[in-house]
Amino acid sequence: MDVSQYLDIFLEESMEHLQTLNSGVLNMENNPERLDIIDEIFRAAHTLKGMSATMGYNAIAKLTHSMENLLDKIRSGKILPNPEITNSLFKCVDVLEEMVNSIREGGAPDADIEGLMKTLVALENGENPTEGQAETLKSEEIIKNEVHINEYDINIFKEAEQRDLNIWKISIHISPECLMKGVRAFMVFRNLEEIGEIVKAVPEVQDIEDEKFDDHFILFLVSKYNEKEIYEALNISEVAAEEIERVSSESVKVDIECTNEEIGLPKNIQKAEIEEDNTKNKENNKILSNKKSKIHQTVRVDIGRLDSLMNLVGELVINKTRLEQISISSDMDGLNETIEHLDRVTTDIQSVVQNIRMVSVEQVFNRFPRMVRDLSKELGKDIDLILEGKETELDRTVIDEIGDPLVHLIRNAIDHGLESPEDRKISGKNTTGILKLIAKHDGNQVTICVEDDGRGLNVDVIKEKALKKKLVTLAEIEEMDEQEIVNMIFLSGFSTAKEVTDISGRGVGLDVVKNKIASLNGQVSVVTKQGQGSQFIIKLPLTLAIIQALLVKVQEETFAIPLANIDETTNLERGKIKNIQNQQVMILRDKVLPLIFIRDILDVPGTKETGEIYVVVVEKGERKFGLVVEELIGQQEIVISSFGKLLSGLSGIAGATILGDGSISLILDIGALL
Amino acid sequence: MDYQFVALKIGNEEYAVDILAIKEIVRWTEITRVPKAPPFVIGVINLRGNVIPVIDSHLRLNVSQNEITAFTRTVIFQLEDIVVGFNVDQVIEVISINDEQIEKSQLIAESDNKFIKGIGKIDDRLLMILDLHKIIDFNL
């Protein structure tokens, strides 16, 4: 079978399952008693196993199979989860991720899994030294946990034995991808009834036919046929006989006695606890099933198709603007009305398409608990990670890009921000550091905060460092206020860590973060209080494709300035421009505002002089500048088109947009321009 | 083997480009200047809603500049995922050149133009075959 056409789906789904595994194991570590979590991990491993086996990636299937065995032991309570187990499971997930990634890159999943598998088997046999024994224990486990055999059943078994018939206990597994499990189960029954008699089914036959079972069910078959023939009878697609085992009325009976004996007094107490857990689990299941129904309502769409839809909407918006301009100049009755309607429809379509492209930040946030756990172990710091606003939505493109900067900020916060437990104790703080990751909507923007309650940034250290690295002069620093000094950490070549560690501080830190955010039309800023922690605030636009901008004219050229950057606009007579140290400035409400002539910095040709000029006040970080232009055209919704690869990386120009009259206007990138 | 080329006139010389790299040929349209771009990128044009950078052939190949005439065209190239326009003085014809007619070594050394990857000889015509990948490599 050619499976290459399913490769994309396989990759995407396996990443999802790996994510589930990661967060599941993390959850398990924190709540080892919650069986539903282990079930979840088990299901993810199991599905992954099935998928990879179908695709022919046997290494993945093998490893997940070993994981499954281990998890099964935990699930049945044979082994208690311990740090060693969680660590190995994490390692497995890492290796699996590696393998999936190498498949994505067109290679083969050839990671070394032998050692890992041995560890898993060893852990699995932590209490049961030999594998064979483990197997039998496992099957008994199933009888104890899931199969309740009563006197009536035993009588039937005995009767069968007297007639020299075999009793087979058959575990049936139906592939989770199977759509009509009931039908498959019915086929199993039909085929088995031909060769024997089903005397008992767990769950009940009726429930099985109504699909009220997971992927497994167990049947007891009384038959004169042997194992091989039963296997043949079960040769149904999407159905696998996992285990066929001959049992006798005696062995079953012994099991029951065993179970009764085991449930002594201490067990009863445990039972009460388990019941409590069960209520919890039920609640969780409720949440889980809610989630499931939500998943069913989604459709996977290729991002490329959405992009082309977005492009079409973009063209629609351009043409709408163009029509509006025509209507203003031609003044026709009826046209206005139509255009207003068109305007409404376009705006609606635009917001719908934008919404389709929205993905919740959960996707990005989900990888952090694991990362924080690993780092906290590595550095010996206790950290409580709090995630807020996971449901906040952002454009898919932004989501894809925002991961790395956040990783960087979180690593920084853990490595430099949060103190060691001892230090925290000395400064009178709780030994567990708090790291908050908060996403929230803020008007037309989304704010993501990385907040720690660590030692905060040390202004003196920053000063010293900036001087040493010759990023500023002593005179300059004396004029700066505290916030301006703190902002220097975003300059390239700045790293406050005293030593280079593996986790952060390679000197490429925050300027990379800043550039990345800037390339997404966002801003990053920092608020810090020494001894109390710091807060990095990232502000991002909801979408990258269509923004509000102010169109301005400089000589004969038109430029667009993103509204997000603009504080205000004002007019100015040429005579009021003042000179301070070769820098032209103006006084705006008693404050000195440095002026920047777009005409000069962008070498705009032309010599037209107007008496009155306009100043667009923009913010860069915490500082304000006045951009001098000759004419303000107005505010407009613009569709950002990139120049393509060829002209990427032009500093000061974020892209271009096509105006209503078909001409092109360049979008200024304020962050890079000044 | 025969290859199809499009013969172009830039300045007073004839050039040829691989027809498969050409997406379309459009008439001269209004160009918007892009500040801070390399000097031979004279700006961007609006090609049915797409913003396409345009390289001026004269500046790029160091050929004396002719005026914009009724024959001036912008040839739109597509090389992998890069789409770029190239201003030429005239698009002459589609021409078939056999690889035996392409001179690769000697003449190029003489012409000392790094953007030429070969010279096609058809009867008494000489067509310089442009290396488009080098033309869009801004480091050259």
Side-chain angles (χ1 to χ4, degrees), chain B residues 29-123:
Chain B
T29 54
E30 198 192 325
I31 285 186
T32 305
R33 189 185 69 97
V34 179
K36 299 189 181 184
F40 49 83
V41 177
I42 46 173
V44 287
I45 57 165
N46 169 11
L47 184 69
R48 293 188 306 276
N50 290 313
V51 177
I52 313 275
V54 176
I55 295 175
D56 183 74
S57 59
H58 309 92
L59 293 172
R60 190 65 173 145
L61 300 175
N62 214 358
V63 177
S64 64
Q65 186 101 27
N66 281 19
E67 281 171 26
I68 293 165
T69 67
F71 295 111
T72 305
R73 294 287 183 275
T74 305
V75 182
I76 312 290
F77 294 126
Q78 171 136 34
L79 296 159
E80 283 100 45
D81 53 350
I82 293 176
V83 179
V84 62
F86 197 57
N87 264 4
V88 299
D89 293 319
Q90 192 182 346
V91 174
I92 305 168
E93 62 182 330
V94 176
I95 194 167
S96 194
I97 309 180
N98 194 287
D99 34 5
E100 282 166 21
Q101 294 171 301
I102 299 176
E103 188 80 45
K104 283 204 168 138
S105 51
Q106 217 180 354
L107 281 166
I108 300 169
E110 284 169 29
S111 78
D112 92 329
N113 196 329
K114 57 199 171 209
F115 302 114
I116 311 296
K117 64 176 177 186
I119 292 181
K121 287 187 289 190
I122 297 166
D123 306 325

Side-chain angles (χ1 to χ4, degrees), chain A residues 69-86:
Chain A
N69 285 346
L70 179 62
L71 288 165
D72 195 47
K73 283 280 165 59
I74 301 171
R75 184 159 69 161
S76 57
K78 266 281 162 239
I79 314 175
L80 285 175
N82 57 36
E84 230 171 293
I85 290 180
T86 37

Side-chain angles (χ1 to χ4, degrees), chain A residues 175-451:
Chain A
S175 142
E177 290 88 39
C178 175
L179 287 179
M180 289 191 280
K181 289 179 187 164
V183 177
R184 297 283 178 233
F186 176 75
M187 287 164 75
V188 170
F189 288 140
R190 194 194 57 197
N191 289 7
L192 288 180
E193 294 281 6
E194 277 173 21
I195 58 169
E197 192 187 343
I198 296 170
V199 290
K200 186 167 178 63
V202 181
E204 298 285 322
V205 177
Q206 192 55 45
D207 286 346
I208 294 175
E209 285 185 354
D210 290 346
E211 294 193 19
K212 286 181 191 154
F213 65 101
D214 254 353
D215 304 327
H216 292 267
F217 55 89
I218 296 169
L219 299 174
F220 284 89
L221 180 77
V222 174
S223 163
K224 59 177 193 273
Y225 291 96
N226 63 24
E227 202 175 331
K228 195 171 150 245
E229 284 154 317
I230 295 172
Y231 267 118
E232 273 165 18
L234 288 174
N235 190 9
I236 303 165
S237 73
E238 290 184 297
V239 172
E242 277 196 330
E243 213 183 327
I244 298 182
E245 187 196 359
R246 199 174 153 180
V247 291
S248 64
S249 58
E250 284 306 309
S251 69
V252 173
K253 207 172 174 184
V254 170
D255 279 339
I256 293 172
E257 277 160 12
C258 252
T259 325
N260 289 341
E261 229 167 82
E262 265 176 33
I263 303 173
L265 193 73
K267 289 271 164 163
N268 277 338
I269 298 167
Q270 272 188 11
K271 214 178 175 185
E273 280 172 7
I274 289 167
E275 257 160 33
E276 217 180 85
D277 278 351
N278 277 345
T279 49
K280 257 196 242 164
N281 290 353
K282 264 179 205 157
E283 274 165 34
N284 285 325
N285 283 341
K286 233 188 201 166
I287 299 166
L288 216 74
S289 55
N290 279 347
K291 256 189 195 164
K292 266 184 188 159
S293 60
K294 212 175 170 186
I295 289 165
H296 279 300
Q297 287 166 348
T298 63
V299 178
R300 258 178 228 277
V301 182
D302 184 358
I303 189 84
R305 289 188 194 170
L306 282 185
D307 282 342
S308 50
L309 182 58
M310 193 71 202
N311 284 343
L312 288 175
V313 173
E315 272 182 55
L316 198 58
V317 172
I318 292 170
N319 281 310
K320 181 203 82 184
T321 336
R322 193 167 177 177
L323 268 180
E324 275 168 358
Q325 271 181 357
I326 296 172
S327 90
I328 290 166
S329 55
S330 64
D331 195 28
M332 247 201 286
D333 275 349
L335 184 62
N336 264 338
E337 208 180 308
T338 323
I339 284 169
E340 265 168 36
H341 186 230
L342 183 66
D343 184 31
R344 271 203 301 278
V345 176
T346 327
T347 316
D348 285 353
I349 295 177
Q350 190 186 324
S351 71
V352 169
V353 176
Q354 255 173 38
N355 279 335
I356 295 176
R357 298 175 54 89
M358 292 296 197
V359 182
S360 72
V361 288
E362 195 172 359
Q363 265 193 18
V364 182
F365 278 17
N366 272 345
R367 59 201 246 209
F368 295 133
R370 166 77 196 279
M371 195 185 92
V372 171
R373 171 203 175 264
D374 287 357
L375 285 176
S376 72
K377 288 250 155 101
E378 199 175 313
L379 297 168
K381 294 179 180 176
D382 293 332
I383 300 164
D384 199 358
L385 176 69
I386 299 169
L387 300 176
E388 277 175 32
K390 279 202 278 194
E391 66 289 338
T392 312
E393 289 185 325
L394 270 166
D395 192 279
R396 169 75 191 242
T397 345
V398 183
I399 291 277
D400 288 346
E401 299 289 326
I402 193 68
D404 288 344
L406 282 179
V407 166
H408 217 103
L409 290 178
I410 290 173
R411 280 167 172 257
N412 266 337
I414 294 173
D415 200 19
H416 309 318
L418 293 171
E419 313 92 326
S420 63
E422 300 82 51
D423 287 351
R424 289 183 71 89
K425 217 171 203 174
I426 292 167
S427 43
K429 290 182 188 172
N430 196 327
T431 50
T432 307
I434 291 172
L435 181 62
K436 273 192 194 168
L437 197 54
I438 305 162
K440 57 171 186 267
H441 275 288
D442 205 354
N444 224 357
Q445 284 183 319
V446 167
T447 311
I448 300 178
C449 279
V450 180
E451 198 181 317

Side-chain angles (χ1 to χ4, degrees), chain A residues 311 315 318 557-559 601-605 641-647 650-653 656-659 662-666 672-673, chain B residues 30-38 41 43-55 80-85 135-138:
Chain A
N311 284 343
E315 272 182 55
I318 292 170
E557 294 184 3
T558 309
F559 296 98
I601 55 171
L602 294 181
D603 304 315
V604 183
S641 319
S642 86
F643 290 136
K645 251 190 194 164
L646 208 55
L647 288 179
L650 278 185
S651 85
I653 311 286
T657 185
I658 294 169
L659 301 179
S663 69
I664 295 175
S665 152
L666 300 180
L673 191 65
Chain B
E30 198 192 325
I31 285 186
T32 305
R33 189 185 69 97
V34 179
K36 299 189 181 184
V41 177
V44 287
I45 57 165
N46 169 11
L47 184 69
R48 293 188 306 276
N50 290 313
V51 177
I52 313 275
V54 176
I55 295 175
E80 283 100 45
D81 53 350
I82 293 176
V83 179
V84 62
I135 284 180
I136 60 164
D137 185 349
F138 287 0

